[in-house]
Structures are given as C-alpha cells and as structure tokens.
Amino acid sequence: MAKIVECIPNFSEGRNAETLQALVAVAQSVPGAALLDWSADASHNRSVFTLAGAPEAVAEAAFQLCKLAAELIDLRTHTGEHPRMGATDVIPFVPIREMDMKECIALAETLAERVSGELAIPVFLYESAARNTQRQNLSTVRKGQFEGMAKKMLSPDWAPDFGEAAPHPSAGVTAIGARMPLIAFNINLDTDNIEVANAIAKSIRGSSGGYKHCKAMGVTLAERNIVQVSMNMVNFEGTPLYRVFEAVRFEAARWGVRILGSEIVGLTPVKALADSAAYYLQLEDFEYGAQVLEQRF
Amino acid sequence: MAKIVECIPNFSEGRNAETLQALVAVAQSVPGAALLDWSADASHNRSVFTLAGAPEAVAEAAFQLCKLAAELIDLRTHTGEHPRMGATDVIPFVPIREMDMKECIALAETLAERVSGELAIPVFLYESAARNTQRQNLSTVRKGQFEGMAKKMLSPDWAPDFGEAAPHPSAGVTAIGARMPLIAFNINLDTDNIEVANAIAKSIRGSSGGYKHCKAMGVTLAERNIVQVSMNMVNFEGTPLYRVFEAVRFEAARWGVRILGSEIVGLTPVKALADSAAYYLQLEDFEYGAQVLEQRF
C-alpha cells in the first residue's frame, strides 16, 4: 500500500489574488502531490493549503511553496488579525496511510534543513517534531510574532532548530512540525441551554481535566434553536470518537438532555470511524491492518 | 483514487501441488494484480484464489488462470466433495474501491467473451451479472455438475450466455459473475444453548423472512462453552452490520441472553465499518466519498 502524508502549509497572504493563484499553481505542479483544498481569509490575511500524496512529492511541493511565498510575501508590510511570524507561517505534516509519526518528524526535519539552507529562513520544529516541550505548542513558539522574532531569537532558549538565530528580513521564521490528523467533531443536544453545552465541554476537554486529546467548547446553533458541543479531536487514536460521544451522552443525562446527532466537519481518516465501529460492534481480536481489505494494497 | 476490483476464482483442483503452484505463479505474474490469498482443500479437491488490483490487470490474471486451468485440470477424472462444473468453476468480480456493480458486470462480460472465444469454454453469467433471475443463484446454474452439463445445455433454458451449447470436453463450463463483497460476521452469545443461536439466526436471515442480504446459522464454540450466530453478510450496503447486530441484541433479550462480542473473519471493506460508526455516532449528513480522507486519492 502506498504511503500517504498530508501537509497543511499556512501562508501570510489572504488578500492578493495574484499571489494566491501563483501559490495554487505551484501546489498543483508536483506529480504525486495533490492539492485537496485551499482557502484564504481576508481579515486574517492568511491562507491554508491542504496537500496530500507521496511523502517525497508532498515535501517537495511544500518546499516550492515556501520558496515562492518568500519571494512574494513581505512580512514587513503584512497586517491581519491572525498571529504570524513568517511568509510561510507553519507547515505541519500528518500521517495518513502507512506512515507513522516518526516518518513525519523525519520529513519535517529534512524540509527544515532545506528551508534554512536554501532559502535562509530559520525554522522552529513544533508539536510532535519539537525537540523540547516548550516548543510543542505553536502559540508559545509564535509568541512575539514577526516583529518580536529578532529579539526573541537572541535568547538561548529560542535559538532556531535550523538556520541562523535571526529572522529572514522579509520572510521571517517558519514553524515546521508533525501532528496527528485533526477531526472536527460536533455533538448536537436537544436543548437551547448553552450552559449545558459549556458544562459538558468542560467535563470532556483535556485542558480542564477531561480527555487529553480533546478540545471542546459549547456553541449555539441559532437556526436550529439548539446547542452543540464543538470539538477538535487532535489525536483520534489517543482519544477515540466513541469515547467522547459516550461521555457526552452520560454527562448530558444529568440534565435530562439527549444527543440529537453529531457531525464531522471536513475530512476524517477512515480509521477513526472503523475504530468506533469496532467498539460498538464489540469486535474481538480485530486487526485493522490485516483485515481491512483496502489496507492490503 | 485508483479503482480496485477483487476477483475470487475457484478451481477444481485441491490436491496436485504442482498444478496449484503453477496457478499461483500465474496469479502473481500480472503487474497491477495482487494475489492476496489462496487456499486448497483436498477433500473438496478445490482451490480458491483471491486477486485484487486494477480492473484490467485482475481480469487479465483471471483469464490467464482460466487458460492454465483448462490445460492442467481434466474434469473427466475429477472427484471431490464440492459440486463443480468446470476446471475454473466460478469467477466472481467484487467492487472494492471506486467501482460500481455495473463496472464489475462489464468486466465479467468481457472476460466471458474472451474465455468462450479464445478457450472454447462456454460461460454462464451469474449473480448480479445474470441475464435472467434463474441464473442468479450459482447452485441452480451448477445443478447437474460437469457430468450433467452436456444434456442440460441442450435445453433452451440453459443455453450458455457466451459460447457453444456444449461443455468443453475436459474443462467443462465456467460461471462468471459479479457480486458485493462478502463479510463473515459472527456474534457470540453468553449461553451454551444452541437452540437460542438457531432461533436468532432464523429470525435474522433473509431465507426465513429476516434481512435480505444476511445468511445465518447457529454454531457451538465448544472451546469457549458458548454459542454463536454465524453470518455471511452478502451485501453490507443493503443489510449493514449494525442492523443485524442490534437485531441479534433484541432477539437475544427474549431469553435473557447478552451479546459477548463479535468477530469478522478474514477481510472486510472499510466502508462496512464506517457505515456502522455513522449509525452509532448518529452522524448527520456524512458524505463518505467527500469526507473520508483516503477517498480523495
């Protein structure tokens, strides 16, 4: 079966159509790497590209995008609502098929070496690729943003993992990393009481003592007159979908509230669904790699 | 995303190691077609090969196997417990990825034309490829077996779909068809009472008024001192796994019996699991083709 990696580079450009089209053209130019999706946000002045395919091809496309972004985007004149420190701000690699996290970390390191060496852009490794716990969290790494990076990088704590301890004059600094796929999973409740959704969200999210790999908050769906527990599942193997679904069910029961349904927004790896099926169908000794037909290619 | 078809040719040879090895070698000789599995049964004097891959490659491998089987297997001297009518007895095509049943039927027809034209072996189309309802059921088609075929084919009802109305002298007749993937799905009960398993099996199987695409029988697992509802799910889209699982649960409740667990024996298409996850997680508006990441390649 062919290896597939996903890569989601974020660029500090969400307004200039010409620049965006040039990035799209490069993203589509490497055989073996597919551009699955891209979107730009004018108020954030930022764009997000989703590439996937063969690891070497995807890494090559990411490098070419980085190179073009350094030519076309100048952080010295960049304004927008979203925090940023580089023309190419972040590049996460995500294992999808026949890949483990270690291979994604190796891809991130190889790309970091090339970006710093060939483009003179210093790189921080973040999330699973981070070399110390301080650099795991992207917002900690990016704190100070482009304008504060020159000073920040002089501190021994913030020497980059690759490249010189000074930002590229116009292209700044790039964070390159590896992480698990993120699943946007929302559960709808048969109540319009946002306090119920907030209380359930608090009970299940890792940051307030719940499941480690779940981020959650309550959200009102005004058009349906209901509330929702809106989640980002940042590691579906560590915290499976069925587990938070059942936890939301028993927490909601405290208020006599039922689950109406759930939704996955955007993409999910199919294994996240298969793992939940295995729970509910009480499958004994099921071996995903050996028994799922599609895994055999 | 690349199309994948599965093909499971059955040969009337389960004893002669030399013949079996020659068939294996041919099955592995076509680029783009993988031999996932093969097994031979001496008392049945029959072997089953599982091929999968690109449709044209798999069809080519199936043809080459047919050709070799016609050279090496002589039905006039064949004995075994399993009913059979040809050296290559049956060849079903199964849609796995980016394939629909129509495309599998077209593959079956093209192969049937080649087998009858180039090898002078007449072909019946069966299951979803059958051109009348009488030929859907393989056991009806094969009734009379090799020895009775010459007479059977003279009846206007049993003229072959491709080729002359007379069996090949030594290689007989081959049935070529298309069907959905079959999932061997068993549910274990916390009782040793086979009558409970038999009664539940009867209540859920299509042939006795249950779910159309489910075959089921009760089985004793002596080593665990329990019984099992053993099922063949012959169309997981028509009758999903979760539906028979929940039906077994509520039927078993009549006797105060619980489900201990379930098992899938051998391979399953991953969509069968994803469909069941979508049920249990109450997913709203989930689009498998658009939202499953792996489907995007």
Side-chain angles (χ1 to χ4, degrees):
Chain A
M1 198 182 201
K3 289 177 192 288
I4 293 181
V5 72
E6 190 184 8
C7 179
I8 309 103
N10 288 219
F11 303 99
S12 295
E13 177 58 69
R15 296 170 188 165
N16 185 322
E18 213 170 303
T19 300
L20 292 168
Q21 280 308 324
L23 291 168
V24 167
V26 164
Q28 294 172 328
S29 70
V30 179
L35 177 62
L36 294 190
D37 188 39
W38 73 276
S39 63
D41 185 297
S43 65
H44 286 185
N45 199 6
R46 187 179 181 89
S47 50
V48 178
F49 285 58
T50 305
L51 301 163
E56 304 71 25
V58 169
E60 173 64 24
F63 175 78
Q64 295 299 338
L65 283 165
C66 247
K67 186 172 177 218
L68 185 67
E71 288 162 17
L72 300 181
I73 301 170
D74 189 338
L75 267 284
R76 290 169 295 194
T77 57
H78 180 273
T79 57
E81 284 169 23
H82 199 289
R84 79 287 177 270
M85 60 180 182
T88 303
D89 199 49
V90 299
I91 309 181
F93 287 97
V94 176
I96 299 298
R97 209 170 67 183
E98 294 286 300
M99 296 275 294
D100 60 19
M101 193 54 77
K102 234 171 120 179
E103 291 173 273
C104 282
I105 293 169
L107 268 185
E109 289 174 338
T110 305
L111 179 63
E113 191 167 11
R114 242 188 120 184
V115 165
S116 62
E118 298 181 35
L119 307 179
I121 299 169
V123 173
F124 289 119
L125 296 174
Y126 80 109
E127 291 220 8
S128 296
R131 289 170 175 181
N132 65 55
T133 51
Q134 204 181 10
R135 296 186 184 188
Q136 281 171 5
N137 191 321
L138 178 64
S139 55
T140 311
V141 171
R142 193 163 52 197
K143 201 173 174 188
Q145 299 194 49
F146 173 71
E147 290 77 7
M149 261 324 129
K151 187 173 170 212
K152 180 176 181 172
M153 293 173 88
L154 293 176
S155 143
D157 276 0
W158 289 103
D161 293 297
F162 286 88
E164 302 289 314
H168 183 286
S170 60
V173 184
T174 297
I176 301 181
R179 61 166 173 81
M180 284 289 286
L182 182 152
I183 304 172
F185 183 45
N186 302 326
I187 298 178
N188 298 328
L189 304 175
D190 71 340
T191 178
D192 60 358
N193 187 343
I194 187 65
E195 286 175 35
V196 170
N198 284 334
I200 295 172
K202 190 178 171 195
S203 74
I204 60 164
R205 70 182 166 231
S207 66
S208 47
Y211 288 111
K212 181 171 178 186
H213 305 290
C214 171
K215 299 178 179 182
M217 63 179 183
V219 167
T220 296
L221 300 190
E223 71 283 6
R224 289 175 66 179
N225 204 31
I226 60 172
V227 296
Q228 177 180 77
V229 180
S230 179
M231 296 173 285
N232 273 330
M233 304 297 292
V234 299
N235 180 336
F236 70 85
E237 296 197 322
T239 304
L241 299 190
Y242 76 81
R243 194 166 293 158
V244 296
F245 189 82
E246 292 303 320
V248 168
R249 194 202 302 278
F250 73 66
E251 295 290 346
R254 179 176 190 162
W255 291 278
V257 167
R258 286 180 321 119
I259 288 175
L260 289 175
S262 74
E263 58 174 352
I264 288 173
V265 182
L267 297 170
T268 179
V270 75
K271 186 167 187 293
L273 297 176
D275 288 349
S276 286
Y279 167 78
Y280 288 109
L281 297 175
Q282 298 176 225
L283 286 180
E284 300 175 0
D285 303 322
F286 185 71
E287 289 185 48
Y288 188 85
Q291 293 190 257
V292 164
L293 194 53
E294 291 86 346
Q295 291 292 113
R296 303 288 299 276
F297 298 93
Chain B
M1 198 182 200
K3 287 176 192 290
I4 292 180
V5 72
E6 189 184 8
C7 178
I8 309 103
N10 288 220
F11 303 98
S12 295
E13 177 58 70
R15 297 169 187 166
N16 184 323
E18 212 170 305
T19 299
L20 291 168
Q21 280 307 324
L23 290 169
V24 167
V26 164
Q28 294 172 328
S29 70
V30 179
L35 177 63
L36 295 189
D37 189 38
W38 72 276
S39 64
D41 185 297
S43 65
H44 286 184
N45 199 6
R46 187 179 182 87
S47 50
V48 178
F49 285 58
T50 304
L51 301 163
E56 303 71 26
V58 169
E60 173 64 23
F63 176 78
Q64 295 299 339
L65 283 165
C66 247
K67 187 173 176 217
L68 185 68
E71 289 163 15
L72 299 181
I73 301 170
D74 189 337
L75 268 284
R76 290 169 294 194
T77 57
H78 179 275
T79 57
E81 283 169 25
H82 199 288
R84 79 288 178 268
M85 61 178 182
T88 303
D89 198 48
V90 299
I91 309 181
F93 287 97
V94 176
I96 298 298
R97 208 170 67 183
E98 294 285 300
M99 296 275 294
D100 60 20
M101 194 53 78
K102 235 171 119 180
E103 290 172 275
C104 282
I105 294 170
L107 269 184
E109 289 174 338
T110 305
L111 179 64
E113 192 167 9
R114 242 187 120 184
V115 165
S116 63
E118 299 182 34
L119 307 179
I121 298 169
V123 174
F124 290 119
L125 295 175
Y126 81 109
E127 291 221 6
S128 295
R131 288 171 175 179
N132 64 56
T133 52
Q134 205 181 8
R135 296 185 185 189
Q136 281 172 5
N137 191 321
L138 178 64
S139 54
T140 312
V141 171
R142 193 163 52 198
K143 201 172 174 188
Q145 297 193 50
F146 173 71
E147 291 75 8
M149 265 317 134
K151 188 174 169 208
K152 180 176 181 174
M153 292 173 90
L154 293 176
S155 142
D157 276 1
W158 289 103
D161 293 297
F162 286 87
E164 301 289 315
H168 182 286
S170 60
V173 183
T174 298
I176 301 181
R179 62 167 172 81
M180 283 290 286
L182 183 152
I183 304 171
F185 183 45
N186 303 327
I187 298 178
N188 298 328
L189 304 176
D190 71 340
T191 178
D192 60 358
N193 187 343
I194 188 65
E195 287 175 35
V196 170
N198 284 333
I200 295 173
K202 190 179 172 196
S203 74
I204 60 164
R205 70 181 167 232
S207 66
S208 48
Y211 288 111
K212 182 171 178 186
H213 305 291
C214 171
K215 299 178 179 182
M217 63 179 183
V219 167
T220 297
L221 301 190
E223 71 281 10
R224 288 176 66 179
N225 203 31
I226 59 171
V227 296
Q228 176 179 79
V229 181
S230 178
M231 296 173 285
N232 273 330
M233 304 298 292
V234 298
N235 180 337
F236 69 86
E237 295 197 321
T239 303
L241 299 189
Y242 75 80
R243 194 166 294 157
V244 297
F245 188 82
E246 292 303 320
V248 168
R249 193 203 303 278
F250 72 67
E251 295 290 345
R254 179 176 190 160
W255 291 278
V257 167
R258 287 181 320 117
I259 289 175
L260 288 175
S262 74
E263 58 174 352
I264 288 173
V265 182
L267 296 170
T268 178
V270 75
K271 187 167 186 292
L273 297 176
D275 287 349
S276 286
Y279 167 78
Y280 288 108
L281 297 175
Q282 298 175 224
L283 285 179
E284 300 175 0
D285 302 323
F286 186 71
E287 289 184 50
Y288 188 85
Q291 292 190 257
V292 164
L293 195 53
E294 291 86 345
Q295 290 293 113
R296 302 289 297 276
F297 298 94

